[in-house]
Amino acid sequence: MPFDLENIKEKSLHSVKWVSFSQILPKVFAPITALLLVNVFVPKDFGIVGICGAFISFVNLLQGLGIDDYLMRTKELTDEKLNTAYWTNLGVSIIFYLLLVIVSPLIALIYKENDLIYFIPVLGLNLIINASGFVPWALLRKRMEFKKLFFINFAPLVISLSITLPLGYAKLGPWAIVAGQVTLTLLTNIYFLVQSRWKPKIIYNKNEVKNILSFGKFVIYERVLEFLFANIDIFLIGYFLDLKTLGIYTFAKSLSWLIFGMITSPMTQILYPAFQKFIDDKERMVHHFMEVERRTFFITVPIFILIGGFATKAIAVMFPVRWEEAGLVLAFLIVGDGISKNFSLQRDLFKLIGRPEIYPKAFLVNFFYALIFYPIAVKYGLIYFLIVRVGNDFLYTFIQYYLTKKIFGFSGSNFYKIINSTLLSGVMLMFSIVAITVLYNLYIIKLNLLTVFISLLLCSAVYLITYFIIDKSSIQKYYCEGKIIFNIK
């Protein structure tokens, strides 16, 4: 029905504002936070916490059991379904936490860092804490109550920083970061429980567990592969190189994730609950998906070109000398992530049409590429590794394009219609970056924070003006949607 579609679109657009705020505001403070942290901590501190986080994140994926996607796809959520999901997840989390504590000495031995024996059990408490707020979070997301999620995501971040920094100045090293992260997790999940207006009850149905596992096994499979793919670089760099290099790489990687999290996270969080309305209408689902992709390309392409072009200069003027290598690393990572993130939304559509196995099976190609070529490349140094990593991002993009084309009839002409204006505007953007870089190299422009910021603004203006000349109607459409998002009359 047209009325229903309009309601869905308007509600989704209003949701974009709060999801974006929940992602953007923490990222706006991220450079300030990073600047404070890198002046307090040394690269090895980030390396130690990075190793702990990688193993804990892996277990965190397993504990979820695909419950969030299962609850999102289920039309009617009864107390029986919700409570069974809650207690199953909590019980699994406790078991995984104990296993993680048991293997922590082995992890410490592999990375030749005895302190990991103490850090992993403490940081691992996040597994149990997250389990307590998992179902409430899924409920808020299913109801599209993103305004509540905004306040939940932002407030604990500030409190966490207020704990991390004083402890860092007190010379507690990685313990300061661990304390901040555990506090952040605890406060966030308390807020989930309060705001969802849902309380667990002693209700459990074994048959419901079978339904959860039947759907969730492919989701878990997908997430395990993605985790291994996302963290194999951390494991290899930490093992073959050193913790200082790992700290620099982890720092640059976190910046790249922060940047693209502002774009893709709002899309992915809204796409699944909004598009579930079109489960029985594949053609309409694909049409709206293409419109989402058009807007994603419009934003992501200039960002990875801009950051890729100015990363080394921005890092040089914003952070201490000991972090200067992070600039080149960030330039590589941002290009790779910028390419691959444009084709990361369709996996939710595979789940909605009842084909959750498609994405993880295809992702095996990228996983085996990483498994074979990453260990070889890292032995020759970080730059060789980064080149091979970006190659995998190109491979991922090609595979996902092929799948989208095959499953949804997303033809080459469809793809061209989506990206033609963005590509032409992106070319002009690259020319403007080259011109400004020449001026920097000739010392006509002095390198400092203000000139880098002005350069970014000027290049962004070139992109927007070019896009407006090529496709005026789309810019007007984005402007109108922006007014809806921010409730501007």
Side-chain angles (χ1 to χ4, degrees), residues 19-20 23-24 27 30 252-269 296-308 329-345 389 393:
V19 178
S20 298
Q23 297 296 320
I24 291 173
K27 275 69 174 181
K253 187 176 181 179
S254 66
L255 287 179
S256 181
W257 281 4
L258 286 173
I259 292 166
F260 284 105
M262 291 189 290
I263 305 162
T264 58
S265 185
M267 299 291 188
T268 53
Q269 291 198 45
T296 304
F297 275 97
F298 170 72
I299 299 171
T300 57
V301 169
I303 285 181
F304 86 72
I305 293 175
L306 279 169
I307 304 299
V329 176
L330 177 60
F332 273 99
L333 295 179
I334 210 78
V335 170
D337 287 341
I339 292 166
S340 61
K341 290 294 187 291
N342 288 309
F343 270 102
S344 60
L345 302 177
R389 187 188 186 280
D393 289 321

Side-chain angles (χ1 to χ4, degrees), residues 153-168:
N153 285 331
F154 186 61
L157 186 68
V158 177
I159 299 172
S160 170
L161 184 61
S162 68
I163 291 173
T164 302
L165 283 177
L167 293 179

Side-chain angles (χ1 to χ4, degrees), residues 306-307 310 314 429 436 451-461:
L306 279 169
I307 304 299
F310 287 104
L429 175 59
I436 289 179
T451 56
V452 171
F453 179 70
I454 293 173
S455 300
L456 287 168
L457 288 180
L458 288 174
C459 292
S460 300

Side-chain angles (χ1 to χ4, degrees), residues 232-242 245-246 249 370 372-389:
I232 189 173
D233 49 0
I234 293 176
F235 297 138
L236 291 172
I237 292 171
Y239 183 78
F240 286 104
L241 300 180
D242 54 71
T245 303
L246 176 61
Y249 179 84
I372 294 169
F373 294 109
Y374 283 12
I376 297 172
V378 76
K379 292 180 180 180
Y380 292 94
L382 188 57
I383 299 301
Y384 287 96
F385 173 81
L386 290 169
I387 293 170
V388 172
R389 187 188 186 280

Side-chain angles (χ1 to χ4, degrees), residues 252-421:
K253 187 176 181 179
S254 66
L255 287 179
S256 181
W257 281 4
L258 286 173
I259 292 166
F260 284 105
M262 291 189 290
I263 305 162
T264 58
S265 185
M267 299 291 188
T268 53
Q269 291 198 45
I270 294 168
L271 189 69
Y272 202 54
F275 275 44
Q276 65 177 320
K277 317 295 182 186
F278 306 127
I279 289 178
D280 300 322
D281 193 339
K282 184 178 176 181
E283 184 176 343
R284 185 170 287 163
M285 182 189 296
V286 173
H287 170 74
H288 288 282
F289 169 70
M290 288 173 58
E291 290 301 308
V292 172
E293 283 286 82
R294 184 193 302 275
R295 288 150 181 78
T296 304
F297 275 97
F298 170 72
I299 299 171
T300 57
V301 169
I303 285 181
F304 86 72
I305 293 175
L306 279 169
I307 304 299
F310 287 104
T312 55
K313 294 177 177 60
I315 293 294
V317 298
M318 290 179 65
F319 301 108
V321 176
R322 63 178 178 268
W323 293 97
E324 62 182 353
E325 295 176 51
L328 183 59
V329 176
L330 177 60
F332 273 99
L333 295 179
I334 210 78
V335 170
D337 287 341
I339 292 166
S340 61
K341 290 294 187 291
N342 288 309
F343 270 102
S344 60
L345 302 177
Q346 76 290 338
R347 59 183 172 184
D348 285 333
L349 299 191
F350 296 147
K351 296 171 190 172
L352 285 171
I353 64 173
R355 300 287 304 278
E357 77 282 0
I358 294 176
Y359 183 83
K361 285 182 178 180
F363 197 70
L364 273 174
V365 177
N366 298 100
F367 175 70
F368 282 116
Y369 174 102
L371 205 60
I372 294 169
F373 294 109
Y374 283 12
I376 297 172
V378 76
K379 292 180 180 180
Y380 292 94
L382 188 57
I383 299 301
Y384 287 96
F385 173 81
L386 290 169
I387 293 170
V388 172
R389 187 188 186 280
V390 172
N392 206 2
D393 289 321
F394 276 97
L395 177 62
Y396 172 89
T397 302
F398 173 78
I399 292 171
Q400 296 307 314
Y401 166 72
Y402 172 78
L403 285 174
T404 309
K405 178 180 178 181
K406 182 178 180 181
I407 305 299
F408 298 108
F410 193 81
S411 66
S413 59
N414 294 140
F415 183 62
Y416 178 74
K417 288 177 183 178
I418 288 175
I419 67 168
N420 62 343
S421 300

